[in-house]
Amino acid sequence: MDQKNMFLAFALSMAVLLGWSALFPQQQPVTESTQNAPAESLPSGDAVPADRAAEPAKMAETAVSKAAPVAMSGKTYRIGNDVLDLTINEKGWIVRGVLKQYRESIEPGSPNVAFINMGDKQAVYVNSGVVNAALAAPFELVGRDGGSITLQTTLDNGRVWRRTLSLDAGSYNVKISDRIVNGAGLKMYHQVVERYPDKTKNTFYEHMGPTAFLNGKLEEPDYDDLDEAGAIRKASVGGWTAIMNRYFIAAIIANPEQDYPYYFKGDGRSYQAGLIDDGIVRGQDAEFSIRMYIGPKSIPLLKTAASELERSIDYGWFAFIAKPMHTFLTWMHDYVPNYGWCIILLVLCIKILFFWPTQKSYESMAAMRKLQPEMTRLKDLYGDDRQKMSQEMMALYKKHKVNPLGGCLPIMIQIPVFFALYKVLLMSIEMRQAPFIGWIQDMSVQDPYFVLPVIMGLSMYVQQKLNPQPSDPMQARIMQFLPPVFTILFLFFPAGLVLYWVVNNILSIAQQWYVLKVKQAL
């Protein structure tokens, strides 16, 4: 295998990885029984899931009979700090969460990101309720103290439910405390609901939607799996469950010492990720306490929520490369406040790190290039006898101490680095709306004028001219198509990724040209 074959293999591997999700939708086995799954949560009313021991059909009937409509005036309550603004409705649901430091787009006047927004068709919101009970009246404000509010209502069984939501300054962490007076033995559910999601965004290489971290393992059920199964149940001590997209997440974080039943649900239009809380008994009262994180998927911020919430950023197969790469880029950004230049410095560091093996491979390629006339002669002599030609070529390599596989190393090194950087640029919120220079104002999306992909294609063409040319005419024709094919493929890749590849190619060309010049192989 020579470098041309490796380029072809690389192109095919990229095509497979990028097209796999369309050909083979992501499937995950349903390992838990769904017979005791929670009853369906409807966005228009109080969701009442079954507890872990109850028959679901009976529980659903009980919920419907008790969930008599409660007149709501549309009153809402707000708490906020310098980074997050939350709106709670009269049912005690979090129906809007505005992230004050993030905007929808780079356009002037673009609104802040409202990841929690029940008003949109493609909505995400957070609701809670008491199992086997419904509201008899709307929540009313009974107390406000700085960044916390206390709401109170009465359940249809006559018990009083007090709910306190607290938000510290500069934090995306929300504390939720519930007390049901004389409610010993009652259970609560907490869930994040996603309505009418764009399922096409959940792909083989990027999971979105319901997610959880249970028993030390990341759970990522697919929308289609939930549509088919209806519900999936899990159990874990501690952990978290969430709805997320590429850059933002709304996560329910359980108490680390407590055992919870978790569930995922879906019906084609709405999806829930939730848990059942047994709470604790104090006297005759039932008390419940959870935490939520509603904010960006930034590793330092996610770590403040504990419970390994940073695991929601899944860098995939090459995480062992992507994580240190992300750490390096964010560290470098403290000194060079432009992620485009940080990527260029990253390429320089990688080139320095792998200089010696790359130098050896280019020397091998130079030797192969010098043997081109001899290889052409052998082809003319033994072109019809492939076995004899292969034997003579191996003898030629042995005579001149040339390793035909030596040119593969640079590509072999670049493949995992390429895909690791792709995940870093795709998943890291630090790259979102990060400008470089001139026309590139967002490194996480495609180059709007396709300048970088065209430069990348030209650099690939120059590299091909420096490489030993294939002796097989068919292979030579295939190689001629690689630069335009890669150019088209890279048109829609994140600009930061194409920048990496352009700089890498330019430095590779300089190094390879120098080796060919020294070895007199030009």
Side-chain angles (χ1 to χ4, degrees):
M1 182 194 294
D2 58 18
Q3 192 179 25
K4 278 69 65 182
N5 287 331
M6 281 304 305
F7 267 119
L8 186 59
F10 184 38
L12 291 175
S13 67
M14 289 178 61
V16 168
L17 285 176
L18 296 174
W20 188 272
S21 61
L23 296 174
F24 303 100
Q26 183 183 11
Q27 296 291 330
Q28 296 190 15
V30 179
T31 57
E32 299 289 332
S33 171
T34 62
Q35 292 183 354
N36 289 330
E40 181 176 6
S41 167
L42 300 177
S44 59
D46 294 306
V48 185
D51 69 25
R52 70 183 83 181
E55 181 181 352
K58 183 177 180 180
M59 291 294 299
E61 292 174 1
T62 302
V64 171
S65 65
K66 289 188 175 184
V70 176
M72 297 289 175
S73 64
K75 185 185 298 183
T76 58
Y77 310 97
R78 293 177 59 184
I79 59 171
N81 56 23
D82 51 332
V83 297
L84 181 62
D85 187 46
L86 297 179
T87 301
I88 300 95
N89 70 3
E90 291 176 296
K91 297 179 181 179
W93 300 1
I94 302 175
V95 294
R96 187 170 177 82
V98 177
L99 311 180
K100 297 180 180 180
Q101 296 187 348
Y102 296 89
R103 297 196 176 273
E104 291 287 352
S105 72
I106 60 175
E107 299 299 325
S110 175
N112 292 110
V113 171
F115 182 60
I116 302 292
N117 191 355
M118 191 176 177
D120 293 340
K121 180 179 179 181
Q122 292 182 345
V124 176
Y125 55 94
V126 182
N127 65 7
S128 302
V130 180
V131 176
N132 287 334
L135 299 182
F139 272 100
E140 294 288 345
L141 180 66
V142 296
R144 182 182 290 274
D145 181 15
S148 69
I149 60 171
T150 299
L151 307 175
Q152 181 171 300
T153 187
T154 303
L155 299 173
D156 58 359
N157 56 19
R159 293 176 173 86
V160 174
W161 174 11
R162 294 194 185 99
R163 159 160 278 212
T164 300
L165 297 93
S166 303
L167 185 60
D168 294 333
S171 175
Y172 295 96
N173 298 296
V174 186
K175 299 177 183 177
I176 303 176
S177 301
D178 295 283
R179 175 186 287 267
I180 302 175
V181 180
N182 294 320
L186 293 178
K187 304 176 188 294
M188 285 191 65
Y189 66 90
H190 306 279
Q191 61 184 12
V192 187
V193 182
E194 183 178 27
R195 191 170 61 194
Y196 297 110
D198 183 355
K199 299 181 182 180
T200 62
K201 293 182 178 180
N202 182 55
T203 63
F204 170 74
Y205 49 87
E206 182 183 13
H207 176 77
M208 296 188 187
T211 312
F213 186 72
L214 310 175
N215 302 309
K217 179 182 177 183
L218 192 64
E219 303 284 347
E220 298 179 328
D222 187 74
Y223 289 119
D224 293 336
D225 290 340
L226 291 175
D227 290 343
E228 181 178 350
I232 299 174
R233 291 199 67 171
K234 303 283 184 177
S236 176
V237 175
W240 54 262
T241 188
I243 294 289
M244 69 179 189
N245 63 19
R246 178 179 295 174
Y247 295 121
F248 305 103
I249 185 171
I252 300 170
I253 304 169
N255 297 315
E257 307 86 8
Q258 192 171 337
D259 186 12
Y260 296 87
Y262 286 83
Y263 59 89
F264 300 108
K265 295 183 72 280
D267 61 4
R269 61 185 181 87
S270 68
Y271 298 85
Q272 296 91 43
L275 57 84
I276 306 296
D277 189 351
D278 292 341
I280 60 174
V281 176
R282 293 192 184 277
Q284 295 299 313
D285 298 346
E287 291 188 354
F288 308 86
S289 178
I290 63 161
R291 294 179 296 121
M292 288 202 68
Y293 178 92
I294 301 173
K297 290 165 63 178
S298 168
I299 290 178
L301 294 173
L302 293 171
K303 286 183 175 180
T304 66
S307 299
E308 298 190 67
L309 189 58
E310 67 274 12
R311 292 287 295 273
S312 60
I313 304 176
D314 185 6
Y315 287 122
W317 298 338
F318 298 113
F320 66 97
I321 300 175
K323 288 180 179 179
M325 192 177 292
H326 174 269
T327 301
F328 175 84
L329 286 173
T330 53
W331 172 78
M332 183 62 66
H333 191 261
D334 292 337
Y335 303 94
V336 183
N338 183 302
Y339 275 110
W341 294 111
C342 290
I343 290 171
I344 292 174
L345 291 173
L346 174 66
V347 178
L348 287 170
C349 291
I350 292 173
K351 279 294 184 184
I352 292 171
L353 183 64
F354 294 106
F355 177 83
W356 185 85
T358 304
Q359 184 77 1
K360 290 299 180 183
S361 85
Y362 285 150
E363 290 175 358
S364 176
M365 292 170 63
M368 289 283 293
R369 186 181 174 94
K370 292 177 70 173
L371 293 180
Q372 287 285 162
E374 287 293 319
M375 294 171 66
T376 302
R377 184 182 65 82
L378 291 177
K379 183 176 181 300
D380 293 337
L381 288 174
Y382 307 108
D384 296 332
D385 188 346
R386 290 188 175 274
Q387 183 176 359
K388 180 65 175 176
M389 181 178 173
S390 297
Q391 292 174 351
E392 292 296 326
M393 288 183 66
M394 293 305 296
L396 182 67
Y397 295 149
K398 185 176 181 180
K399 177 182 176 181
H400 292 275
K401 298 181 180 180
V402 173
N403 181 3
L405 300 179
C408 298
L409 184 60
I411 300 300
M412 294 296 292
I413 292 173
Q414 291 178 53
I415 288 175
V417 172
F418 175 89
F419 285 115
L421 184 61
Y422 176 73
K423 293 289 281 188
V424 169
L425 294 174
L426 189 72
M427 307 292 290
S428 300
I429 194 167
E430 293 85 359
M431 307 299 165
R432 179 182 184 267
Q433 300 177 4
F436 178 36
I437 58 173
W439 71 101
I440 300 177
Q441 294 299 310
D442 188 345
M443 300 290 290
S444 67
V445 300
Q446 68 192 50
D447 182 336
Y449 300 111
F450 307 121
V451 176
L452 287 177
V454 171
I455 296 174
M456 190 278 305
L458 293 174
S459 67
M460 282 193 66
Y461 175 78
V462 173
Q463 276 189 303
Q464 277 197 0
K465 292 302 181 182
L466 294 177
N467 293 337
Q469 299 304 304
S471 58
D472 184 357
M474 177 61 71
Q475 189 182 45
R477 283 194 292 271
I478 292 175
M479 293 302 297
Q480 290 176 355
F481 284 103
L482 282 185
V485 167
F486 268 63
T487 300
I488 295 172
L489 187 63
F490 275 60
L491 290 177
F492 307 103
F493 274 28
L497 187 68
V498 186
L499 175 65
Y500 164 84
W501 203 249
V502 167
V503 176
N504 181 76
N505 281 1
I506 291 173
L507 293 177
S508 297
I509 289 170
Q511 184 180 3
Q512 190 173 0
W513 182 88
Y514 175 77
V515 171
L516 293 176
K517 190 75 173 177
V518 170
K519 297 295 183 180
Q520 299 180 347
L522 284 174

